[in-house]
Amino acid sequence: MTHYYPKYTYLLVLAGVVAILFSCGKSNEKTAEQKAATDTANAVKTPVVSSNQSELLKLVITPQGGDFRGFKFGDPLSKIKAEEKFELFEDSTDHVGYTHETENFEAIDILYYLDNNKALNGIRVDIYLNEANDAQSLYNQFDTYLSGKYAPDSKQGKRTTWKAKGGMLVSLEDVSKGKDFGLRISIGSQGKSTEKKPKPLQ
């Protein structure tokens, strides 16, 4: 009977090795699952990064020239559609809307308002931001930029206005509310005129 012991011993050792390898595999699986869960939790806690506000300002006002982004009041709709680089998201009888989203999930919406001849007569820009500090920083930069381009008119709370040519107002407003942060810029018909419009020629 003694000649069977080595075979039983061999089988016992083999079973032990298989059991150890199996438990290691299970341990590795748990570790991988725990790591994935930890990575997911960390990703949720990571705050959304904001763009450099100077770069965001340049993105909104470029290309420069004209009254805004290279366009002048009175320009035809066809020119706006041919030259605006942002993505068209709205095309109505009295305005066209363009949008752009940054890699940091900020968004810029621009509405170009049209008169009865389909010519540009007003602009509204809505900028959606991630943090209150972003809104304040960008507000300050736009304040400086617009003050260098137009004559100051008034400042009330979170709204500053300037006079553009023809008596039209340019306004900058911090429209942040609750956890939604953003700015609005209005030029032309959306900024409202401080002077009476001339009567049409008879």
Side-chain angles (χ1 to χ4, degrees), residues 57-78:
L57 172 73
K58 287 178 189 174
L59 182 62
V60 173
I61 64 174
T62 301
Q64 295 192 40
D67 293 303
F68 182 73
R69 290 179 64 82
F71 301 117
K72 295 179 183 177
F73 290 110
D75 279 348
L77 173 61
S78 57

Side-chain angles (χ1 to χ4, degrees), residues 16-125:
V17 170
V18 169
I20 290 169
L21 289 174
F22 183 74
S23 68
C24 286
K26 281 286 186 185
S27 174
N28 286 341
E29 278 181 25
K30 283 183 181 177
T31 304
E33 287 173 6
Q34 289 170 349
K35 185 175 184 302
T38 303
D39 289 346
T40 303
N42 288 340
V44 170
K45 290 178 185 176
T46 302
V48 177
V49 178
S50 296
S51 298
N52 177 297
Q53 301 306 299
S54 296
E55 292 301 315
L56 201 53
L57 172 73
K58 287 178 189 174
L59 182 62
V60 173
I61 64 174
T62 301
Q64 295 192 40
D67 293 303
F68 182 73
R69 290 179 64 82
F71 301 117
K72 295 179 183 177
F73 290 110
D75 279 348
L77 173 61
S78 57
K79 179 176 180 175
I80 296 170
K81 286 189 170 183
E83 297 180 14
E84 177 54 68
K85 302 301 182 190
F86 287 175
E87 180 184 352
L88 179 69
F89 77 93
E90 199 166 308
D91 194 347
S92 183
T93 55
D94 64 347
H95 70 274
V96 287
Y98 288 83
T99 190
H100 176 79
E101 186 174 303
T102 72
E103 60 183 9
N104 296 317
F105 306 107
E106 298 125 335
I108 303 162
D109 288 349
I110 304 175
L111 296 179
Y112 293 101
Y113 290 92
L114 310 168
D115 63 17
N116 293 334
N117 297 317
K118 299 291 183 185
L120 179 63
N121 77 340
I123 299 165
R124 190 179 94 193
V125 184

Side-chain angles (χ1 to χ4, degrees), residues 17 39 50 62 92 117 126 141 146 148 150-151 154-155 157 190:
V17 170
D39 289 346
S50 296
T62 301
S92 183
N117 297 317
D126 289 304
Q141 293 195 43
L146 294 169
Y150 303 109
S154 70
K155 185 163 189 171
Q190 296 308 301

Side-chain angles (χ1 to χ4, degrees), residues 154-166:
S154 70
K155 185 163 189 171
Q156 296 179 340
K158 294 183 175 183
R159 186 171 188 263
T160 305
T161 59
W162 295 262
K163 271 189 186 178
K165 61 185 178 182

